[in-house]
Amino acid sequence: MSKEKEFRNYKVVRPEWVVDSVRVGKQLPWHKYRLIGQGNIGASINALSDPLSQLSAQPARQGSESGNLGLLVKPTLVIDRFNEGLNRSWVRKNLASDKDFIKRYYKNSRLHHLSTWKAEMKDYVAQLRSKYRKGKGTDKKVDRGNRIIMHVDFDCFFVTASLLSHPYLKDKPVAVCHSQQQQQQPVDSDQIDEESLRAMSRLGGTSQIASCNYTARSFGVRNGMFLGPAREKCPGLMTVPYYFDTYKRISRRFYEELTRIADEIQAVSIDEALLDVTEAVHHGFGGSPERLAHHIRQIIYEQTQCVVSIGIGPNILLARVATNKAKPDGVFTIAADQFDTIDLKVRDLPGIGYTLEKDLVQHNIASVRDVRNATLAELQAICGEKTGQALYEHSRGIDNRVLESDKLRQAFGADIGWGWSAK
DNA sequence: ATCCTCCCCTAC
DNA sequence: TAAGGTAGGGGAGGAT
Ligand SMILES: Nc1ccn([C@H]2C[C@H](O)[C@@H](COP(=O)(O)OP(=O)(O)OP(=O)(O)O)O2)c(=O)n1
Ligand SMILES: [Mg+2]
């Protein structure tokens, strides 16, 4: 459905257009072969994926209108300097056909690390739980009410951890990315001359920023941005490299401490965990979640020299939203009856990303308050049955999900969508 | 209704 | 210059 929308204004034909055109030795008019705009696209697609249907395709009658080229392939960027680049050793090493390409690629891909670490940390938590003889967490359905959930998340994790090796950059705007091209010395952008500023903003490129610190964020830089646009916003932006081993070492200490403390724990990622501390707050913290949070922040900092922020709430949703309010370097609590008073955009809700935000805004739903003013049926018409239901509940601060630490893996896979080719 | 297939979307 | 992976929830449309 999304592709139908994306290609609505393009000429997209079924493969028979190619076969038939070859058969008659010229380009046939494309209209009769049109894939989009005929209705019933589902059936056409089913037919496409059935190899027998290709064999039995009827030869088309010859049309008389003169068709122009109907098959549209999304335009591909052609690198003019390709041949020049081919001789350079960097490109030669990164041809996807190189025999060690996959190994080298995975060694350097932060997203690959993120994915494998997530699985490893789930495993590690399971190990630690049995080592610490933590409960099975099976009877949760009995007393689901009145839980205390914490969301613990390192502040700009990769930057903080990389800066342990580059401490003198701590107060500058800093990003972690592969490109290390930059001024030799960090500068303050307010005391630098125009020309150097322009020179620095040209030190851009398409290296992705995995993480940037809060100084950089004050300029509008964000995780996931390309370095080029980031330096336009923040010309003095310094970069530091990845230290993958350090990130993993820190994360293991993080999970060791948290698993010991929490009643229940769910590993969310290398730098982020959900805790159920309903009982734990009574073990030396006088029943105060904030005092326990303070203790956790202290102990994690001692152990890792990295800062975590903590969100506290009666369910996963509120704890996560609270973390965003807590950052950087803080703790924030949202009680069930406070949620309505917080001014949030739909995009601030976990689970609402780029596309769902667009879909909702198209229906004049931009804020969480707007969601609350919509009916369940309206939301389900926009987002689908379950997503609409979840949105309806989340907009009211309702979230009945429980922490999961012992789910079985359902799938595995591997893919690479980057690399250089010899044309 | 429910299941199956082929996607889309989100998160880190 | 450049290292955009991957699991899991879920929707649409058709088959059973
Ligand atoms: N687009 C992204 C987002 C994240 N990450 C990596 C680097 C981050 O440091 C780490 C953790 O992601 P977070 O979303 O927790 O972001 P940060 O920890 O960097 O910042 P903060 O949590 O303070 O917002 O995952 C990445 O490589 N690419
Ligand atoms: Mg973080």
Side-chain angles (χ1 to χ4, degrees):
Chain A
M1 307 270 308
S2 290
K3 282 210 171 64
E4 187 186 356
K5 204 155 95 191
E6 181 181 354
F7 289 102
R8 182 151 290 160
N9 297 319
Y10 291 98
K11 299 168 186 168
V12 182
V13 294
R14 286 173 283 111
E16 291 79 22
W17 177 82
V18 179
V19 179
D20 293 347
S21 293
V22 168
R23 189 178 355 254
V24 300
K26 65 171 192 175
Q27 284 174 18
L28 292 169
W30 70 286
H31 300 87
K32 293 191 195 103
Y33 297 87
R34 167 168 208 163
L35 181 62
I36 296 171
Q38 303 284 71
N40 205 10
I41 197 167
S44 310
I45 287 173
N46 274 356
L48 276 182
S49 29
D50 174 5
L52 290 181
S53 79
Q54 318 261 324
L55 294 178
S56 59
Q58 294 298 311
R61 282 155 297 116
Q62 233 177 283
S64 53
E65 340 153 37
S66 71
N68 45 11
L69 185 61
L71 183 67
L72 185 123
V73 177
K74 267 191 119 177
T76 309
L77 185 66
V78 175
I79 311 281
D80 281 334
R81 287 170 298 151
F82 182 82
N83 287 320
E84 169 204 329
L86 188 58
N87 293 322
R88 296 165 58 152
S89 69
W90 194 94
V91 172
R92 211 164 38 228
K93 266 195 347 217
N94 287 290
L95 287 173
S97 52
D98 185 275
K99 105 179 198 310
D100 292 323
F101 171 76
I102 293 176
K103 199 182 299 176
R104 189 166 44 237
Y105 177 76
Y106 275 144
K107 185 158 73 64
N108 291 305
S109 162
R110 106 276 187 188
L111 290 174
H112 170 70
H113 280 94
L114 237 38
S115 283
T116 48
W117 283 333
K118 174 169 183 166
E120 287 176 20
M121 290 309 161
K122 284 189 194 166
D123 239 40
Y124 192 46
V125 162
Q127 266 180 47
L128 290 170
R129 280 172 60 83
S130 76
K131 180 167 140 199
Y132 299 155
R133 306 194 188 292
K134 286 283 172 175
K136 276 264 94 273
T138 40
D139 297 337
K140 256 172 307 178
K141 286 196 185 86
V142 185
D143 57 349
R144 265 192 176 198
N146 294 321
R147 312 305 298 176
I148 301 172
I149 306 298
M150 280 188 186
H151 179 232
V152 188
D153 187 322
F154 281 98
D155 289 347
C156 48
F157 181 55
F158 283 14
V159 171
T160 309
S162 288
L163 283 181
L164 297 175
S165 305
H166 304 266
Y168 72 107
L169 287 174
K170 211 160 48 185
D171 301 316
K172 310 294 174 195
V174 178
V176 171
C177 64
H178 283 291
S179 170
Q180 293 301 308
Q181 194 185 47
Q182 58 201 309
Q183 298 284 106
Q184 287 314 90
Q185 293 299 317
V187 294
D188 291 321
S189 47
D190 53 353
Q191 57 183 55
I192 187 178
D193 62 273
E194 283 288 310
E195 197 191 331
S196 324
L197 208 80
R198 275 197 304 277
M200 289 180 77
S201 63
R202 275 197 299 273
L203 291 174
T206 55
S207 180
Q208 277 196 1
I209 291 173
S211 176
C212 58
N213 65 1
Y214 282 78
T215 311
R217 287 182 203 190
S218 71
F219 290 85
V221 180
R222 293 290 179 269
N223 291 359
M225 264 186 186
F226 285 140
L227 186 57
R231 282 237 166 93
E232 282 171 24
K233 294 172 180 292
C234 177
L237 184 64
M238 300 299 289
T239 63
V240 290
Y242 292 91
Y243 293 86
F244 292 122
D245 296 344
T246 305
Y247 308 154
K248 182 163 167 178
R249 183 173 50 72
I250 290 172
S251 185
R252 291 173 67 95
R253 295 294 306 122
F254 171 81
Y255 278 109
E256 285 155 16
E257 297 301 335
L258 296 185
T259 307
R260 199 192 302 277
I261 292 168
D263 314 340
E264 300 289 336
I265 177 166
Q266 176 178 340
V268 176
S269 77
I270 185 76
D271 89 318
E272 190 181 334
L274 287 163
L275 314 183
D276 186 324
V277 293
T278 312
E279 301 296 328
V281 295
H282 296 293
H283 301 155
F285 303 94
S288 161
E290 286 75 15
R291 279 174 58 191
L292 175 56
H294 177 77
H295 170 75
I296 290 175
R297 275 160 44 80
Q298 204 159 20
I299 210 165
I300 298 293
Y301 187 77
E302 275 169 29
Q303 295 292 318
T304 69
Q305 282 72 59
C306 295
V307 171
V308 294
S309 291
I310 298 182
I312 304 170
N315 59 40
I316 295 175
L317 171 73
L318 268 55
R320 294 192 85 131
V321 171
T323 307
N324 293 333
K325 297 277 174 199
K327 279 173 178 290
D329 194 12
V331 176
F332 196 87
T333 303
I334 302 180
D337 59 359
Q338 288 172 343
F339 184 75
D340 291 6
T341 68
I342 301 174
D343 186 32
L344 295 170
K345 302 288 171 218
V346 287
R347 189 65 156 86
D348 298 325
L349 295 175
I352 305 296
Y354 178 85
T355 305
L356 282 173
E357 181 192 27
K358 289 248 150 354
D359 290 350
L360 288 164
V361 165
Q362 188 143 50
H363 290 82
N364 289 318
I365 298 174
S367 67
V368 171
R369 174 185 298 272
D370 296 336
V371 178
R372 256 179 264 134
N373 288 330
T375 65
L376 175 61
E378 279 163 353
L379 297 174
Q380 287 178 322
I382 299 169
C383 312
E385 188 183 346
K386 295 214 189 181
T387 310
Q389 176 79 39
L391 188 57
Y392 181 87
E393 291 174 4
H394 291 183
S395 72
R396 290 161 174 76
I398 298 167
D399 179 6
N400 293 318
R401 291 171 299 174
V402 295
L403 299 201
E404 307 268 14
S405 59
D406 45 17
K407 279 179 85 179
L408 238 45
R409 172 189 282 260
Q410 306 289 311
F412 74 93
D415 59 274
I416 294 176
W418 185 91
W420 295 75
S421 75
K423 191 160 283 189

